[in-house]
Amino acid sequence: METTELRVPGVGGSSAEETLDRPIVTRVAGDENAGFFRPRAGFGEPRGPGGVLIEAYRWGNLTGGRATRAFALMLLLPFMLSNIAIWMLPPAAAGSGAVARATCRLLAGTLTAMYVLSVTGVAVDLVAWQCAADPRCTDGRRSISWMAGVQPGQRVALLALVPIAAVAVIWWLGARSWRLPEDASAEAVPGGLGAFRLDDHDFWDNQTFLRRLRALHVAIAVGTVDVVVLGVVAPHDDRTVGYGLLALTIAVIVAATALLCRPARPGHPQDRRLGVASRAVLVAMLALTALTLGYAALPRSRWIPGTELPNYGSLVAWLYLSQVVLLLILSAVVVRQPSRTSTPAFLGGLGAPVVITLAIGLGVAFSSAIVYATSDYLDRDVEPTPRRLLPAGVPPLLPPLAYRWAAMGFFVALLVTAVAALLRSRLTIWHRRRAAMEILRHDFPDAPPEPHPRVRAVRNAIARAQLTDRSWPLPAAYAIIFALILGSAGLSLAGIGPRDLGLRIGGEPLARSTVFISHLGTNLTGLFAIAMAVAALLTHRPTARTRFVGVLWDLATFWPRAAHPFAPPCYAERAVPELTRRIRYLTSHGGTLVLSGHSHGAVLAAATVLQLQPACLDRIALLTYASPRLYSRVFPAHLGHATLCDIGDRVRWRWLNLWRDTDPIGRWVFSPDPGRSVAGRPTDPADPANGVDRRLRDPHGLLARPDDTVPPPIQGHRFSPDDDFQAAVRHLVARLRADLPGT
């Protein structure tokens, strides 16, 4: 009976040749997006340690692709982060957990509204309303000047088609799925509503729930455009029909918001009714949109538009304030619920609120960048700066105050985060270096004195790796940023701009400084948006130095879309079922398998184990190395200590995890000390979890060997099939053969 070692690489798009350590490989299953590879006959030994056949699963193309695709997906980054947050919620009782998940979905809905409002601000406010009414702005611009003779209501109705088209674009971008048709028909699937346990079969199939979310988000997005249009024409006409359409639109938005709060419950008869209600809400909103645009396009008597689009600024401010209130509710729910795990939660349990705050910040950055870039372009050379005021009688194009406050807040948030990160690094450096020297002296008792360059290099590598486990003082920084966000939301709603606040507090000098900071924040948001776009364009290139964006994508798109339907597709909805099918095939007819996962591949391997049937589990062993330990802290409800113990039980504790002190990402799974638990409490020596983690000395030697010219390299997060790796595979193969004597 054959034993196969199936290697699953981590993030970053490792090639099958690199994973197998063979020069030429051939695909034996799968396709160009994700496939299984083995060494080609005649081009390298097909067997690895212990005489096992080696095979690699390359899944990197599921998250990679062309530059245009990477650039398009960058637009979905805030949506992606909001989707991650719902999986970061800590374990909780049914009531508080449902409230937290509903709040996450509501915040995801506000991100959709923010996206639409930013495009509406450009098309309807800046172009159709302000620029089209200003001869200075339309002069010499054929694409805009023709609107000068069109009535304001008709201009608004016509340019409202632009944000509606933008909704269609993100609908199209988010509609893609990696789930294969065979996945839905291979086994009985109860309706594609998803689940919140990794061992549930339908965890990777939530297509029905996604369609429901998509209908509700489109209704909210289109309804936001309708509210902007009706906020302009209804007060001008002062008629029942206009206010009636506005009331109906708000009622449908409220209905869509209420349906967002309803969870998916697989097998419950009410889920079908919720799906019908979601489609009905979408149809009703599309009908109201047609009526709204038709009503706005009706000819009217002479209409002299004002400087700013009526009610648009207050709508942006109210949305900003609603996000702050929802963030406050989410933070309160997360903080108040008791911890149900022994592992300390990431960022003190505030991981989900922090990530959604980051998503909102990125959405604000993108929105501010596009609004102010368009405003500067349309204003030509008359936009005000602290050193150049506008000529008399020349009004500027005025984006809402909320965007100005958001840009200023972005600058302050960057400053506070940078200071917190610096404090975290500097205030703990002495303790980390001392602990690193203890580890180094234990591994190399004959090491030279500490001032030796090689000793310092190894010590610093270990000290840097320890920084990953420390989150202080980032929760305090989040509290400061949240307080600033709350204050800026209130000021924007009150109509007080940065300059007005500066004048009230410190007079003209402070006002000028405040304006300077707000302009600096505006420029930073624009530069940040450009930098993210450039990074997205470069991530598809294997030699690009900006692969951190690609790594972020690989980590974030692992989870199904349970909060925002326009997030990038989840690659694991194909990878995990595909790995499951391949393992079933390899273990059929008496075969055995060592499932080997590196870095994020270890997470894929763990998720696959939770999907396997007992017949397969009896014939596999698990090898993980450079495993991202933060996963159990970032996603405690799904990959916490209880889930890890469940994985160990399923494979009968035929599990080894290799880790190094120099690895900032991959760490131990259960404990760095086999005699102690995760929480530091003494454990039963017979506990099988104590045998999982195997620490490797890194580097292999401190100084150069007599037969070499350089000392052994510090491997850190990198892993290759070296002696330690091969010894672990041989150990697991021996365990398999001992448990199954027939092999």
Side-chain angles (χ1 to χ4, degrees):
M1 299 298 177
E2 288 287 2
T3 300
T4 305
E5 182 202 345
L6 179 55
R7 299 177 182 175
V8 185
V11 300
S14 298
S15 66
E17 291 82 359
E18 294 172 337
T19 304
L20 293 174
D21 196 26
R22 298 294 188 271
I24 301 178
V25 299
T26 184
R27 190 172 70 225
V28 295
D31 57 20
E32 65 277 3
N33 291 317
F36 297 87
F37 294 80
R38 288 187 175 183
R40 181 175 293 180
F43 293 91
E45 173 59 44
R47 296 185 180 272
V52 300
L53 293 171
I54 54 175
E55 185 172 307
Y57 177 59
R58 190 191 67 185
W59 54 274
N61 286 346
L62 295 177
T63 55
R66 299 188 303 270
T68 51
R69 177 182 156 202
F71 178 74
L73 290 179
M74 281 304 301
L75 298 175
L76 311 180
L77 180 57
F79 305 154
M80 178 188 70
L81 291 175
S82 69
N83 186 66
I84 298 174
I86 199 169
W87 299 106
M88 295 177 67
L89 293 171
S96 59
V99 172
R101 289 191 291 271
T103 307
C104 286
R105 285 192 289 269
L106 288 177
L107 282 163
T110 65
L111 284 173
T112 298
M114 177 191 292
Y115 167 81
V116 173
L117 278 178
S118 64
V119 181
T120 305
V122 170
V124 179
D125 181 19
L126 294 179
V127 177
W129 189 261
Q130 298 190 49
C131 184
D134 186 359
R136 173 184 57 83
C137 183
T138 58
D139 185 32
R141 290 172 170 158
R142 294 183 180 179
S143 59
I144 301 176
S145 59
W146 62 270
M147 288 190 295
V150 180
Q151 291 183 353
Q154 295 173 336
R155 294 199 305 260
V156 168
L158 182 62
L159 269 295
L161 295 175
V162 174
I164 293 176
V167 174
V169 168
I170 61 171
W171 189 349
W172 175 72
L173 288 175
R176 184 176 181 180
S177 173
W178 281 116
R179 187 168 176 81
L180 296 174
E182 293 83 0
D183 296 335
S185 59
E187 300 181 30
V189 178
L193 288 167
F196 275 89
R197 285 179 56 91
L198 278 168
D199 56 350
D200 286 337
H201 174 71
D202 53 340
F203 184 89
W204 304 108
D205 178 22
N206 65 342
Q207 297 304 306
T208 301
F209 185 60
L210 260 183
R211 285 193 291 270
R212 182 193 307 173
L213 283 180
R214 192 175 297 123
L216 297 175
H217 276 253
V218 171
I220 291 173
V222 177
T224 302
V225 179
D226 295 347
V227 170
V228 173
V229 173
L230 291 170
V232 175
V233 297
H236 173 268
D237 294 348
D238 197 20
R239 294 179 179 175
T240 304
V241 61
Y243 289 118
L245 283 173
L246 181 60
L248 287 174
T249 301
I250 294 175
V252 176
I253 291 177
V254 171
T257 303
L259 288 173
L260 275 181
C261 298
R262 300 300 298 272
R265 289 182 289 179
H268 198 280
Q270 193 176 17
D271 276 313
R272 185 177 182 85
R273 293 194 292 270
L274 290 175
V276 173
S278 300
R279 291 190 294 271
V281 164
L282 177 59
V283 171
M285 187 59 77
L286 293 177
L288 283 172
T289 300
L291 293 174
T292 296
L293 297 181
Y295 175 68
L298 293 176
R300 289 171 174 81
S301 58
R302 183 172 177 81
W303 185 354
I304 301 177
T307 305
E308 302 178 40
L309 187 69
N311 300 310
Y312 175 69
S314 60
L315 186 61
V316 174
W318 276 110
L319 176 65
Y320 193 20
L321 184 62
S322 68
Q323 290 175 329
V324 174
V325 172
L326 288 173
L327 280 172
L328 184 61
I329 294 173
L330 180 62
S331 301
V333 171
V334 170
V335 169
R336 290 188 61 183
Q337 63 189 24
S339 175
R340 291 172 172 260
T341 62
S342 58
T343 304
F346 181 64
L347 293 177
L350 290 172
V354 168
V355 169
I356 289 195
T357 302
L358 177 60
I360 293 173
L362 289 173
V364 166
F366 292 160
S367 300
S368 299
I370 189 175
V371 169
Y372 276 99
T374 305
S375 175
D376 291 344
Y377 168 74
L378 295 176
D379 253 343
R380 305 190 184 197
D381 294 328
V382 297
E383 66 273 12
T385 67
R387 295 187 177 182
R388 184 182 69 247
L389 299 178
L390 287 174
V394 180
L397 298 184
L398 299 173
L401 282 176
Y403 287 130
R404 176 67 70 183
W405 277 115
M408 187 174 179
F410 180 79
F411 170 75
V412 176
L414 283 180
L415 185 62
V416 171
T417 304
V419 171
L422 182 62
L423 285 174
R424 183 181 66 159
S425 175
R426 302 311 301 175
L427 294 180
T428 61
I429 188 170
W430 181 82
H431 176 75
R432 289 185 288 111
R433 284 181 175 176
R434 186 180 65 176
M437 278 303 302
E438 292 178 359
I439 294 172
L440 188 146
R441 295 295 181 190
H442 176 270
D443 289 343
F444 307 102
D446 300 329
E450 188 171 345
H452 192 281
R454 176 64 171 175
V455 173
R456 289 202 305 269
V458 176
R459 179 203 64 186
N460 292 341
I462 298 174
R464 284 193 299 270
Q466 293 175 350
L467 190 61
T468 308
D469 294 329
R470 303 171 184 268
S471 60
W472 183 91
L474 294 181
Y478 171 71
I480 296 173
I481 293 173
F482 187 83
L484 294 174
I485 291 174
L486 182 61
S488 61
L491 291 170
S492 61
L493 188 61
I496 301 174
R499 178 178 175 81
D500 301 327
L501 183 63
L503 284 173
R504 295 185 183 186
I505 296 177
E508 187 63 29
L510 182 59
R512 285 183 173 274
S513 300
T514 306
V515 172
F516 174 78
I517 294 175
S518 66
H519 275 276
L520 181 61
T522 302
N523 294 331
L524 282 175
T525 56
L527 290 175
F528 179 79
I530 293 173
M532 294 296 286
V534 172
L537 289 172
L538 295 177
T539 50
H540 76 290
R541 299 168 57 184
T543 58
R545 293 185 180 273
T546 54
R547 298 178 75 180
F548 67 93
V549 179
V551 171
L552 172 65
W553 232 255
D554 290 352
L555 298 177
T557 52
F558 168 78
W559 297 99
R561 291 168 285 185
H564 207 299
F566 301 145
C570 165
Y571 64 85
E573 66 188 8
R574 169 176 173 175
V576 172
E578 202 164 46
L579 280 167
T580 303
R581 287 196 300 272
R582 184 64 179 171
I583 291 173
R584 281 204 304 261
Y585 168 75
L586 292 174
T587 55
S588 62
H589 309 294
T592 57
L593 181 134
V594 176
L595 182 57
S596 168
H598 171 256
S599 187
H600 189 64
V603 182
L604 279 173
T608 302
V609 167
L610 291 171
Q611 293 284 315
L612 291 173
Q613 299 298 320
C616 291
L617 292 171
D618 290 341
R619 312 190 72 83
I620 73 168
L622 181 61
L623 174 62
T624 56
Y625 39 103
S627 304
R629 180 175 176 263
L630 271 179
Y631 257 71
S632 62
R633 295 176 56 196
V634 175
F635 307 105
H638 308 283
L639 288 169
H641 185 74
T643 303
L644 297 175
C645 290
D646 185 20
I647 294 171
D649 289 333
R650 288 169 184 255
V651 298
R652 298 185 182 179
W653 294 101
R654 295 185 295 264
W655 181 7
L656 285 180
N657 177 69
L658 310 180
W659 67 279
R660 303 185 179 112
D661 281 303
T662 55
D663 189 350
I665 299 174
R667 309 292 278 176
W668 60 89
V669 172
F670 291 99
S671 175
D673 183 351
R676 304 186 72 83
S677 69
V678 176
R681 295 185 299 270
T683 59
D684 182 1
D687 187 353
N690 292 332
V692 170
D693 293 298
R694 179 178 291 185
R695 177 181 172 273
L696 304 180
R697 189 177 70 172
D698 187 40
H700 290 300
L702 189 63
L703 303 177
R705 300 192 309 267
D707 61 339
D708 204 344
T709 58
V710 295
I714 301 173
Q715 295 292 338
H717 195 60
R718 299 185 301 271
F719 261 87
S720 59
D722 56 9
D723 294 340
D724 293 324
F725 180 87
Q726 294 179 8
V729 174
R730 292 191 184 96
H731 174 83
L732 291 174
V733 171
R735 288 280 308 275
L736 276 171
R737 290 171 179 171
D739 291 344
L740 297 171
T743 60

